[in-house]
Amino acid sequence: MNKPERPEIFNKAGDLLKRAADAGGSALKSVGDASEAAWNRATDAPDEAGKRRKTLIILGSGIAAIIVVLFVVSRLGGDGAVHTPVSTAQAVSVITVAPRGVTPTISLNGEARPVRDIQVSAPTSGVRVLEILVDEGDTVRAGQAMARLDTNVAEAQIQSAQASVAEAESSAIRARGEYERAESIRDSGALSAEAIEQRRAAAVAADARLAAARAQAREVNARLGGGYVRAPAAGLVIDRAAEVGRNVDGQVLFRIAADNRLEVAAQIAEADALALEVGQTAQFTLVDGSTVEGRLRRGPASIDSRTRTGEALFSLPAGTRVRAGMYLRGVAHLTERSVPAIPQSSVLYDDGQAYVYVVGDNNIVRRTEVQLGARDGDYIEIISGLDLGQRVVGAGAAFLQDGEEVRAIATEAAAAPAATAPVPPEQNLRGREG
């Protein structure tokens, strides 16, 4: 039979128990003697009063005995007592860095706008609007009249152009006739060759002036559009600035969303710009909670030097409830990949720099700066700063100091998926840490 390695512990424990028994016995004997004397005095009293006094004596004696025993035991031990050391290390959960399959998400915020925003102005200036023929929300076809202008001025300009054409025609006929008559008598010598050439040049110049007058007449007629402002393309009227009676002086009167096609101009963080691919889909949420799917038409062409963001264009399908000018929030899901990841609760920040506490073999923690990547639910990708297999502090990291000793109460692998219900998409933390 094996002997205990430290028999002195049992010897001290035996002495302690013996002393407690002796002291407790003496205390109980004293309490018993006092109780007996009180009991004898109580028996000399009348019956009813004696019974009540006996009851009180019994209860008081019991309580006194308990108090005495507890006091004696608490005073025992002294220098020979056995003390058990208590650890002062903070209890924390420990996470092991391991690969995890994550599906990074990119947050998208932007305004819906027309793919082709056509601004329609009056074909001329100095005329008044007499009638509005379309309003915001109307669908127009190419060439459709949108407003009627003051036709008196328009007709006067057209008539002026037609008069110029008629005058040019008359001059051309006269010049051509003079040249033909001069050419017919060339052989007779009545006119010199120089005079004949002058008449030929005058006829050519008259023909040129006629052509210019006719072109100007066509321009005036086309520019005035018969006295109407016409739609240059089919689409949806999204804005109207024209008012009846207002003079037109080159300002924009209507805006048309060509073919009623809209897109979302979403602002993308610089770190996410290269992760997007043309044709990639994204889900956008309207103010009423409904969603619409967009498809990336063009990634950021440049990055703003102040905001470090770029503009990505997502085309929206036709017939949605989205209206031009709406502000939409969305998310794009990237391709799933396996990366080192840890819970977000393990990451702390100091002046924008992310860091974690790495637990060493001696349970001493060391502050380690890390570079973060994409977030996926409650986990975040570690780009640099940690190696697979290292242990980091989970819950309780915010109360630690560099070099402090800890006591691990739980250890888990960061790659293990949580055994709870899936987190709703709206609770996911999207985007990247810059």
Side-chain angles (χ1 to χ4, degrees), residues 100 102 341-344 374-381 412-416 418:
R100 179 182 179 87
V102 299
I342 60 175
Q344 296 184 34
R375 297 181 183 238
D376 181 38
D378 293 332
Y379 285 82
I380 188 166
E381 175 188 1
E412 57 179 294

Side-chain angles (χ1 to χ4, degrees), residues 78-226:
D79 297 335
V82 179
H83 298 280
T84 303
V86 179
S87 174
T88 60
Q90 180 173 325
V92 297
S93 62
V94 177
I95 310 296
T96 302
V97 182
R100 179 182 179 87
V102 299
T103 304
T105 58
I106 298 178
S107 61
L108 307 170
N109 302 303
E111 181 181 352
R113 67 186 189 188
V115 175
R116 291 175 55 210
D117 189 348
I118 301 177
Q119 299 183 352
V120 183
S121 58
T124 187
S125 60
V127 296
R128 291 184 303 113
V129 177
L130 294 183
E131 184 181 4
I132 304 296
L133 302 178
V134 297
D135 206 347
E136 294 181 13
D138 292 343
T139 301
V140 296
R141 63 184 183 277
Q144 179 178 338
M146 304 179 70
R148 185 168 64 88
L149 303 177
D150 189 347
T151 56
N152 293 328
V153 177
E155 290 176 357
Q157 292 178 348
I158 293 175
Q159 291 173 359
S160 175
Q162 291 174 347
S164 298
V165 170
E167 182 181 2
E169 286 179 345
S170 175
S171 298
I173 293 173
R174 185 175 61 254
R176 190 180 308 110
E178 291 178 354
Y179 168 67
E180 289 176 353
R181 285 193 298 273
E183 186 66 31
S184 65
I185 61 175
R186 175 187 291 271
D187 296 337
S188 65
L191 293 175
S192 64
E194 181 180 358
I196 295 175
E197 288 299 322
Q198 288 177 350
R199 293 186 180 186
R200 186 185 70 81
V204 172
D207 290 338
R209 285 192 296 271
L210 175 59
R214 287 174 175 171
Q216 185 177 7
R218 288 194 299 269
E219 178 192 0
V220 170
N221 191 47
R223 182 160 49 83
L224 294 177

Side-chain angles (χ1 to χ4, degrees), residues 45-385:
D47 292 340
E48 292 299 329
K51 290 180 180 180
R52 287 195 298 271
R53 191 177 293 110
K54 289 179 181 180
T55 303
L56 294 175
I57 290 172
I58 293 173
L59 292 176
S61 300
I63 294 172
I66 294 173
I67 294 174
V68 170
V69 171
L70 293 177
F71 175 77
V72 171
V73 173
S74 66
R75 302 295 293 177
L76 295 177
D79 297 335
V82 179
H83 298 280
T84 303
V86 179
S87 174
T88 60
Q90 180 173 325
V92 297
S93 62
V94 177
I95 310 296
T96 302
V97 182
R100 179 182 179 87
V102 299
T103 304
T105 58
I106 298 178
S107 61
L108 307 170
N109 302 303
E111 181 181 352
R113 67 186 189 188
V115 175
R116 291 175 55 210
D117 189 348
I118 301 177
Q119 299 183 352
V120 183
S121 58
T124 187
S125 60
V127 296
R128 291 184 303 113
V129 177
L130 294 183
E131 184 181 4
I132 304 296
L133 302 178
V134 297
D135 206 347
E136 294 181 13
D138 292 343
T139 301
V140 296
R141 63 184 183 277
Q144 179 178 338
M146 304 179 70
R148 185 168 64 88
L149 303 177
D150 189 347
T151 56
N152 293 328
V153 177
E155 290 176 357
Q157 292 178 348
I158 293 175
Q159 291 173 359
S160 175
Q162 291 174 347
S164 298
V165 170
E167 182 181 2
E169 286 179 345
S170 175
S171 298
I173 293 173
R174 185 175 61 254
R176 190 180 308 110
E178 291 178 354
Y179 168 67
E180 289 176 353
R181 285 193 298 273
E183 186 66 31
S184 65
I185 61 175
R186 175 187 291 271
D187 296 337
S188 65
L191 293 175
S192 64
E194 181 180 358
I196 295 175
E197 288 299 322
Q198 288 177 350
R199 293 186 180 186
R200 186 185 70 81
V204 172
D207 290 338
R209 285 192 296 271
L210 175 59
R214 287 174 175 171
Q216 185 177 7
R218 288 194 299 269
E219 178 192 0
V220 170
N221 191 47
R223 182 160 49 83
L224 294 177
Y228 291 93
V229 177
R230 299 184 180 276
L236 179 70
V237 180
I238 60 175
D239 186 33
R240 175 180 67 84
E243 296 292 344
V244 174
R246 177 179 297 177
N247 286 329
V248 175
D249 194 17
Q251 67 267 35
V252 176
L253 301 180
F254 300 93
R255 287 177 58 207
I256 299 176
D259 300 324
N260 196 16
R261 294 179 54 204
L262 300 178
E263 63 185 5
V264 178
Q267 297 301 314
I268 305 296
E270 179 181 13
D272 299 327
L274 299 179
L276 294 174
E277 298 180 357
V278 174
Q280 182 172 348
T281 60
Q283 293 292 329
F284 292 94
T285 304
L286 281 68
V287 292
D288 63 351
S290 60
T291 59
V292 61
E293 184 180 79
R295 189 172 298 275
L296 182 64
R297 181 172 69 86
R298 192 206 71 192
S302 61
I303 301 296
D304 190 294
S305 59
R306 295 179 296 104
T307 62
R308 311 310 305 173
T309 59
E311 185 180 75
L313 302 179
F314 288 84
S315 298
L316 299 178
T320 67
R321 301 174 59 195
V322 180
R323 298 293 181 264
M326 283 186 174
Y327 188 80
L328 305 180
R329 299 182 182 274
V331 59
H333 296 272
L334 303 182
T335 305
E336 180 179 356
R337 63 178 186 271
S338 179
V339 297
I342 60 175
Q344 296 184 34
S345 58
S346 298
V347 182
L348 304 174
Y349 298 90
D350 185 6
D351 291 335
Q353 174 61 54
Y355 67 92
V356 297
Y357 282 112
V358 177
V359 182
D361 295 336
N362 55 355
N363 286 338
I364 301 297
V365 296
R366 295 298 180 189
R367 172 171 166 166
T368 304
E369 295 183 352
V370 294
Q371 182 180 357
L372 305 179
R375 297 181 183 238
D376 181 38
D378 293 332
Y379 285 82
I380 188 166
E381 175 188 1
I382 300 298
I383 297 178
S384 64

